[in-house]
Amino acid sequence: MVETLSIAVIGDPGVGKTSIIRQFLYNDFTEVYTPTNSRYVYRPSVILNGNMFDLKIMEVPPISSFPASTCQEWLDLRCHGVRTASAYILVYDICCMESFEYIKMIRQQIVDNRVSSSGEAPILVVGSKRDLQRQRFTSRRAVSLLVKKTWKCGYIECSAKYNWHITLLFKELLASAVARGLKHNHSSIRLQGALHRNRCSIM
């Protein structure tokens, strides 16, 4: 039986959510910015270590807050399925502090309001636009320490423009989701060091 994993991609306007997803799925990048105004779902299949997974990647338009209840989730079409997602990718622009403050708020709201019966879901914080690192608002080390040590989340930086760490970030998230019991017969996989041995490909 093929495991289905739902991934919610959340971030401020203009941080590169669409670019990251399209680079991962289609090896495509455009300089033209098109705002994400409504929820969009991509459904690729991937193979990790010889095991197939169906992904439901939900590109979530900017939301003022993470839905605190099922009622709130269904009243806002942009949020359908967000509270019960298998994993979260929180994207910020490494050159924009406001975008980091946004995902900081969203992460805390996920922790506070996520459906408890759905179990613990991995959160991967993604610093986008690494190709503009000379303009970053703070050092990579400072953000990485906060995210990993205090938030207990995964952290990675990427560049959709140059297709740098794009596949890696999805591989890391998938390995983390599998390690947290979403696929019980692969519970021995651990995020630490997993990137060196996991093989992942898109179908």
Side-chain angles (χ1 to χ4, degrees):
M1 184 176 178
V2 178
E3 185 82 36
T4 299
L5 302 176
S6 59
I7 301 171
V9 183
I10 304 173
D12 238 2
V15 296
K17 299 183 297 295
T18 304
S19 294
I20 289 172
I21 296 171
R22 291 192 62 84
Q23 185 64 269
F24 174 61
L25 296 179
Y26 312 121
N27 196 30
D28 174 63
F29 177 81
T30 177
E31 297 277 5
V32 179
Y33 171 60
T34 304
T36 301
N37 296 317
S38 59
R39 173 178 170 275
Y40 196 85
V41 177
Y42 304 81
R43 295 183 179 273
S45 294
V46 301
I47 295 177
L48 178 69
N49 292 342
N51 298 284
M52 182 180 291
F53 297 86
D54 288 336
L55 301 185
K56 177 183 178 183
I57 302 175
M58 298 177 287
E59 182 182 356
V60 182
I63 52 179
S64 58
S65 62
F66 188 83
S69 66
T70 302
C71 180
Q72 183 179 338
E73 178 182 24
W74 286 98
L75 284 174
D76 189 343
L77 295 176
R78 300 170 300 174
C79 297
H80 284 193
V82 169
R83 295 183 77 239
T84 54
S86 306
Y88 298 90
I89 295 176
L90 304 184
V91 185
Y92 80 97
D93 179 348
I94 66 170
C95 305
C96 178
M97 178 175 279
E98 289 76 13
S99 68
F100 183 76
E101 291 298 324
Y102 175 79
I103 61 116
K104 179 180 179 181
M105 174 193 72
I106 293 294
R107 186 210 68 90
Q108 187 59 53
Q109 292 175 351
I110 291 173
V111 172
D112 293 341
N113 298 309
R114 182 176 152 76
V115 180
S116 58
S117 61
S118 301
E120 187 179 4
I123 299 174
L124 180 64
V125 174
V126 175
S128 69
K129 306 184 183 181
R130 177 61 187 268
D131 47 291
L132 302 176
Q133 64 173 328
R134 291 185 178 181
Q135 303 172 35
R136 63 190 314 146
F137 64 84
T138 191
S139 70
R140 179 189 184 282
R141 176 177 172 78
V143 177
S144 180
L145 283 174
L146 173 65
V147 171
K148 291 180 178 180
K149 300 295 185 181
T150 305
W151 297 0
K152 308 300 182 185
C153 298
Y155 181 73
I156 194 169
E157 293 187 354
C158 71
S159 168
K161 182 175 183 178
Y162 293 108
N163 198 11
W164 187 74
H165 280 184
I166 297 298
T167 300
L168 192 64
L169 77 86
F170 281 94
K171 186 192 298 184
E172 178 169 336
L173 188 70
L174 182 55
S176 183
V178 169
R180 295 195 186 210
L182 295 174
K183 189 81 170 176
H184 297 295
N185 61 332
H186 292 283
S187 59
S188 62
I189 297 177
R190 291 295 178 266
L191 180 60
Q192 185 67 32
L195 300 183
H196 298 293
R197 62 182 183 272
N198 287 344
R199 299 176 61 86
C200 181
S201 57
I202 307 172
M203 297 190 66

